[in-house]
Amino acid sequence: MLSAGAMLFALGLEAVFGWPEGLYRRIGHPVTWIGTAITWSEAWLNRPGRLRIAAGGVVTFVVTASVAAAAWMLTQFLPDGWLGMVLSGVLAAPFVAARSLHEHVAAVARRLVEDDLVQARQEVAKIVGRETDALDLQGVSRAALESLAENASDGVVAPLFWGVLLGLPGIAGYKAINTLDSMIGHRTPRHAEFGRVAARLDDLANWLPARITAGLFALASGRPGQVARIVGADARRHRSPNAGWPEAAMAGAVGVRLSGPRIYGAVVAEEPWLNGGARDPGADELLAGLKLYRRMGIGVALVLLALALL
């Protein structure tokens, strides 16, 4: 299966090199290009008096279809066989975030190990949407672990899943959907209606990958039965139809409680606990979560290799 081989190459390329800073300064990043299109479209169409749900649906369809179509057009210029697979992997690599996710969470862990809570809060603020200024060590660790678990699905497993199924158009189209959700899929007065289609489409696109990610975390933990019981008991209690699965698996694998109350702006969200009977996480548990994430990544690579060799 050449698409699985291309996704394996994309994962390896991104894990080793990421997206070089110099290249980002010169040309940006494919996701930022998508973000620019979303920003322009949202500013043009999301105005009072318009049918916001319909307008947001149009933006979601046009952006996703345009990105997928552009990717499909690129594939028409690729050669057949292994060379085409490698080149497809090169083009797909920017849509995988395995290395960048690890680097962001590891930066939080380093600050916690150094007992620098102020800097740790600043680092975790880069990857979560909640208020971080008042978080204690456990709160910072919990936020980082939750982001690691959820984005392992959204940033690694899901794009590779759609890439295997639909090739380069699949991984690019998925990333467009995920970027739309992150930018306009919020329940705010401005985006509650305009981003509704994007949010629901993102839920659908991540439904199976989120559950696959939970399974991979369970296997990587070495205690799949125990983790599976926690996932089965708590995953559906999460406010998100998908995020609760990898987060519950992370909580069970590391042996901590996640989710729970948190602050968004001036609003306190009373979220239920995942694995609520366990202890709160700290720096050691965050490091354990990163180790689990690396093992899960190896598992993803082995699955892709097996598919490629079929």
Side-chain angles (χ1 to χ4, degrees):
M1 185 185 293
L2 290 179
S3 59
M7 294 307 111
L8 176 61
F9 191 80
L11 174 62
L13 190 64
E14 197 277 336
V16 173
F17 297 105
W19 187 260
E21 183 64 28
L23 188 60
Y24 180 83
R25 287 196 299 267
R26 287 181 176 85
I27 65 170
H29 186 279
V31 174
T32 66
W33 306 341
I34 296 171
T36 298
I38 295 169
T39 298
W40 181 84
S41 302
E42 194 266 350
W44 181 40
L45 290 175
N46 188 13
R47 299 177 183 176
R50 293 180 181 270
L51 297 175
R52 284 185 163 178
I53 294 177
V58 169
V59 169
T60 298
F61 172 78
V62 170
V63 170
T64 303
S66 297
V67 171
W72 178 83
M73 290 178 63
L74 284 174
T75 64
Q76 305 311 298
F77 296 96
L78 298 179
D80 295 330
W82 290 96
L83 179 58
M85 182 199 74
V86 170
L87 293 175
S88 182
V90 171
L91 293 171
F95 300 112
V96 184
R99 181 186 181 94
S100 59
L101 174 58
H102 187 279
E103 288 178 342
H104 278 98
V105 178
V108 180
R110 281 195 301 272
R111 297 302 188 182
L112 291 179
V113 170
E114 296 167 357
D115 290 326
D116 191 344
L117 183 57
V118 173
Q119 288 296 320
R121 289 168 177 161
Q122 294 179 8
E123 293 293 346
V124 82
K126 299 175 183 178
I127 55 174
V128 300
R130 73 193 68 171
E131 178 61 51
T132 63
D133 289 344
L135 290 180
D136 57 10
L137 184 148
Q138 290 76 23
V140 170
S141 301
R142 186 181 304 119
L145 276 171
E146 290 167 6
S147 181
L148 179 64
E150 182 177 0
N151 286 293
S153 177
D154 293 1
V156 181
V157 175
L160 293 172
F161 173 84
W162 289 106
V164 169
L165 284 184
L166 301 174
L168 187 61
I171 191 171
Y174 167 78
K175 204 62 183 180
I177 293 169
N178 191 240
T179 306
L180 281 156
D181 179 64
S182 67
M183 293 182 66
I184 65 172
H186 307 294
R187 297 176 182 176
T188 61
R190 180 171 179 83
H191 293 130
E193 293 186 350
F194 186 81
R196 187 176 301 176
V197 174
R200 297 293 79 76
L201 186 59
D202 185 74
D203 287 343
L204 289 172
N206 283 297
W207 192 90
L208 187 54
R211 286 146 182 83
I212 293 173
T213 305
L216 290 169
F217 275 143
L219 291 172
S221 72
R223 304 185 301 277
Q226 177 182 335
V227 173
R229 285 192 293 273
I230 294 169
V231 171
D234 290 348
R236 292 179 179 85
R237 302 176 64 217
H238 198 281
R239 70 187 185 283
S240 165
N242 297 321
W245 291 79
E247 288 186 22
M250 175 68 77
V254 179
V256 297
R257 63 176 184 172
L258 296 178
S259 193
R262 72 277 311 278
I263 300 174
Y264 294 97
V267 179
V268 177
E270 295 291 343
E271 304 293 345
W273 291 102
L274 304 177
N275 197 25
R279 66 186 184 277
D280 286 316
D284 289 343
E285 288 75 22
L286 184 53
L287 291 172
L290 284 165
K291 185 177 180 180
L292 177 72
Y293 171 75
R294 292 191 293 270
R295 290 201 299 265
M296 187 275 293
I298 294 171
V300 171
L302 291 174
V303 171
L304 292 173
L305 178 60
L307 291 172
L309 292 175
L310 283 177

